[in-house]
Amino acid sequence: MKIFYTTRHHDGSPGRFTSSFSGIVSHGKRFLLPFGWVLILLTMSHNNFAQLNMMELIEKAEAATFNLTAYNSTRHTTDTARAFFISADGLAITNAALFQKADTVIISGHKNRNLFLSRVIAIHPMANLAMIQVSGFRSREDNFLSPARQPFDAPGEVMTFPHESDQNNSLNIAEIKKIIHPFSIGRSALLSIDCSHASKGAPIINTSGLFVGILHYMPSAHQPVMLPVYLINDHQWTSVNQTWGHFKINPRKMELTDPHCTEALLLQGWEKWIESARYFTMAFKMVPENARLYALRCISRHQYGNRIGAEEDFSYSLELDENCGLAYYGRAIYHIKNRQNQQAVEDLMTCLQKEENLASGFVLLGQLQNLNNEVRKAHASYSYAIELDTLLGEGWYERGRLVMQHASNHDPALEDLTTASRLNPYLPGVYTLIGNIKFKRSDYLEAITEFNRALRMDPRDDHALMNRGMAYFNTGLKERACEDWENAGKLGNTQAFRLISKHCSQLKRGTFSSNGFR
């Protein structure tokens, strides 16, 4: 099935705008869309207007995007990034590291050829973003992007608008392959696309055409990352408000635009502990007396077993700033590693008095309270974490799991776990827990659907295999049940052997002979 639209190339010659299962052609460029995107285009409406609307949204995002190329004083290129407009007065967002070694910045890749960088408004040092003012923007003709109110969905696909050198004659469609939640950045995603450092700062839209993220590139891992769009309205921006001529000689320019802290935070959110500690060390070159950075490196060092280095970090962090809440967070982890839970709780309480908005700290506190059988306190801690950060999937997950363990009514648990699965479907066992609740309600078919999801996320989830087998057995699919129990047994689940012995002996000989099951 193909749908053809008439358009024109940039030079005015006729072109063809084609949507099919193989791709879309627009303005002489082939935009390769996978089946899922094309299906959305084709099923939004029975007429062409909805399909055109989606393509208009894609073209609007592309039209709001442009390139920035930085040159040093000898006119050599130092960096390239993407940028996009966010308001009708020429405000735009780009990658901050672009400006580190820049003496001149040139704008290209936009239909408006009269654009030039006039001011640097603010820097977000944690996310390495810059808010800039571009002169020459014509509000009646030039497009800009408004952040979506809803967070991006996962799993799912998103579309990026990369640098020309990365396009390979197509727009990039990316799958969200992992959710991460780094300190000071928030809910982000690792993307499965092939791009380079030149595409950092590009906008990202979802399958509804909504602007949901900003592309970042981690050079240490050659990994593209989607930063959350709500960073544009975040409180952590450092005001600059200087003309480009003044900002390029600002004595704090190198510190403000240094990318190593962002790299370290993203690696830490990805649980790449050794690599993140290394990048925190590199960040110290710009800010050697930053207590928070030492506290953050302390957390990473704990996780890969460098106890001495971690202890040195939280001690030095407190020497630099006795009110650094993250230092107490790091020391709490130190106590947890030493099984000193009460000391850990005390340090976390101190941390949360100083870092009142640290949602992950309340989740950790709730976990410790649950271990101490303080169920009501744990529930209150998880609830407050959710209140602080509604996008922190771990908070919903832990509260749902707690309610599931201690309450007879599992409806609230199901609601929490379902929310957690939407925010982060990669949380260990979240679909298995949802499936367990539905199994207990005798909703066996729905339970099987949830266990299927769990096994797509983690094929080695032996609990999902065990319980899907139980659901199959209760729907009369005895052979499938026995297959699941056999696979669970291979993964080391000893309960599977008893179920096979009890329920699968009547199946024809040879079905389970490879493991000696009859």
Side-chain angles (χ1 to χ4, degrees):
M1 179 176 182
K2 292 189 177 182
I3 303 167
F4 298 97
Y5 305 98
T6 302
T7 186
R8 291 186 178 274
H9 299 296
H10 290 302
D11 61 4
S13 60
R16 195 169 61 183
F17 200 34
T18 308
S19 173
S20 72
F21 289 156
S22 61
I24 291 178
V25 177
S26 175
H27 298 302
K29 295 189 296 183
R30 186 173 182 79
F31 298 170
L32 299 178
L33 296 183
F35 178 81
W37 276 74
V38 176
L39 188 62
I40 289 167
L41 292 178
L42 297 179
T43 58
M44 283 194 302
S45 171
H46 293 296
N47 56 51
N48 291 344
F49 292 107
Q51 298 153 17
L52 279 170
N53 183 56
M54 183 62 186
M55 296 314 303
E56 287 170 0
L57 291 170
I58 292 173
E59 295 222 352
K60 178 181 178 181
E62 186 180 31
T65 309
F66 54 94
N67 299 327
L68 291 173
T69 305
Y71 300 88
N72 61 18
S73 57
T74 61
R75 303 296 295 172
H76 287 92
T77 302
T78 59
D79 204 358
T80 303
R82 295 285 271 163
F84 54 91
F85 290 111
I86 59 168
S87 73
D89 57 357
L91 282 181
I93 299 293
T94 190
N95 179 265
L98 172 88
F99 301 123
Q100 263 210 318
K101 300 177 182 179
D103 182 73
T104 304
V105 177
I106 302 298
I107 294 177
S108 63
H110 193 275
K111 66 178 182 180
N112 184 343
R113 304 299 176 87
N114 299 314
L115 302 175
F116 65 93
L117 173 63
S118 59
R119 301 184 74 83
V120 177
I121 305 300
I123 301 290
H124 195 302
M126 297 295 102
N128 200 234
L129 295 174
M131 186 178 296
I132 59 176
Q133 181 80 51
V134 175
S135 293
F137 186 87
R138 297 188 292 265
S139 59
R140 292 185 178 181
E141 302 174 24
D142 294 331
N143 291 310
F144 64 91
L145 301 177
S146 298
R149 294 184 179 181
Q150 297 297 322
F152 61 84
D153 294 327
E157 291 178 333
V158 292
M159 179 180 284
T160 70
F161 296 83
H163 190 269
E164 287 86 346
S165 60
D166 287 334
Q167 284 188 7
N168 296 322
N169 297 318
S170 71
L171 284 179
N172 278 10
I173 306 299
E175 290 185 2
I176 295 171
K177 67 178 188 179
K178 186 176 180 65
I179 299 295
I180 59 176
H181 210 105
F183 286 107
S184 301
I185 293 177
R187 183 172 177 264
S188 307
L190 306 184
L191 302 178
S192 61
I193 54 172
D194 184 16
C195 71
S196 73
H197 197 57
S199 291
K200 60 188 183 296
I204 298 174
I205 65 173
N206 64 11
T207 52
S208 298
L210 299 176
F211 168 41
V212 295
I214 305 164
L215 184 65
H216 182 82
Y217 183 79
M218 298 171 61
S220 63
H222 305 291
Q223 175 62 54
V225 180
M226 178 167 59
L227 301 178
V229 72
Y230 60 75
L231 285 172
I232 292 175
N233 298 314
D234 192 54
H235 69 279
Q236 298 177 88
W237 288 88
T238 299
S239 178
V240 175
N241 200 18
Q242 289 183 317
T243 64
W244 168 243
H246 284 93
F247 181 71
K248 70 181 181 182
I249 58 174
N250 186 320
R252 293 191 63 204
K253 184 182 80 167
M254 296 294 286
E255 171 193 335
L256 288 171
T257 59
D258 182 65
H260 294 122
C261 181
T262 303
E263 190 82 1
L265 289 169
L266 292 171
L267 287 166
Q268 190 176 66
W270 193 6
E271 299 182 354
K272 302 288 185 180
W273 308 115
I274 295 176
E275 296 89 340
S276 67
R278 186 180 303 126
Y279 271 88
F280 282 126
T281 302
M282 295 168 71
F284 291 142
K285 294 178 181 179
M286 291 296 173
V287 281
E289 303 298 307
N290 189 311
R292 289 181 68 84
L293 287 185
Y294 280 98
L296 287 163
R297 189 176 69 174
C298 161
I299 294 167
S300 290
R301 283 179 159 181
H302 273 312
Q303 297 292 351
Y304 70 83
N306 184 355
R307 295 174 60 185
I308 295 174
E311 188 173 3
E312 290 175 351
D313 276 350
F314 70 65
S315 297
Y316 189 53
S317 177
L318 289 173
E319 283 182 27
L320 292 170
D321 181 4
E322 63 181 9
N323 291 313
C324 180
L326 281 179
Y328 293 97
Y329 185 97
R331 194 165 72 179
I333 294 177
Y334 175 83
H335 290 314
I336 292 170
K337 296 288 185 182
N338 292 328
R339 298 184 179 179
Q340 299 169 324
N341 287 356
Q342 188 53 45
Q343 292 94 321
V345 169
E346 291 172 4
D347 270 339
L348 273 176
M349 295 298 289
T350 303
C351 163
L352 295 171
Q353 289 172 1
K354 301 177 185 299
E355 299 271 348
E356 296 178 351
N357 296 320
L358 189 63
S360 58
F362 282 97
V363 171
L364 183 57
L365 178 62
Q367 291 169 334
L368 289 171
Q369 290 166 333
N370 190 27
L371 286 174
N372 293 334
N373 294 316
E374 298 174 312
V375 176
R376 291 185 182 275
K377 288 184 178 179
H379 188 275
S381 294
Y382 296 143
S383 297
Y384 193 62
I386 292 167
E387 184 179 332
L388 290 172
D389 187 352
T390 58
L391 300 182
L392 183 61
E394 191 178 6
W396 296 95
Y397 173 78
E398 292 293 352
R399 191 175 73 174
R401 190 166 65 158
L402 183 77
V403 172
M404 185 177 174
Q405 291 171 347
H406 296 283
S408 57
N409 181 6
H410 286 171
D411 288 347
L414 182 60
E415 290 177 8
D416 280 356
L417 291 169
T418 301
T419 301
S421 71
R422 286 200 301 266
L423 292 171
N424 188 354
Y426 309 100
L427 284 167
V430 64
Y431 287 119
T432 302
L433 294 177
I434 295 172
N436 290 347
I437 292 175
K438 294 186 175 182
F439 178 86
K440 289 177 181 178
R441 294 177 169 180
S442 300
D443 295 332
Y444 300 125
L445 294 180
E446 290 187 19
I448 288 169
T449 298
E450 299 299 335
F451 295 136
N452 288 341
R453 288 173 178 164
L455 290 164
R456 282 197 295 272
M457 295 296 173
D458 180 10
R460 298 186 60 81
D461 186 342
D462 61 295
H463 295 292
L465 282 166
M466 278 288 297
N467 293 338
R468 188 176 70 175
M470 295 288 290
Y472 278 142
F473 189 85
N474 279 278
T475 55
L477 299 172
K478 186 174 181 180
E479 188 168 339
R480 287 191 180 182
C482 293
E483 289 174 2
D484 274 355
W485 293 334
E486 180 192 17
N487 289 327
K490 290 178 182 178
L491 293 171
N493 193 313
T494 56
Q495 293 180 348
F497 304 144
R498 290 194 291 272
L499 289 170
I500 289 170
S501 176
K502 182 177 180 180
H503 297 294
C504 304
S505 58
Q506 300 304 315
L507 292 181
K508 62 182 181 181
R509 184 179 180 85
T511 303
F512 305 105
S513 59
S514 61
N515 281 332
F517 300 143
R518 289 177 171 79

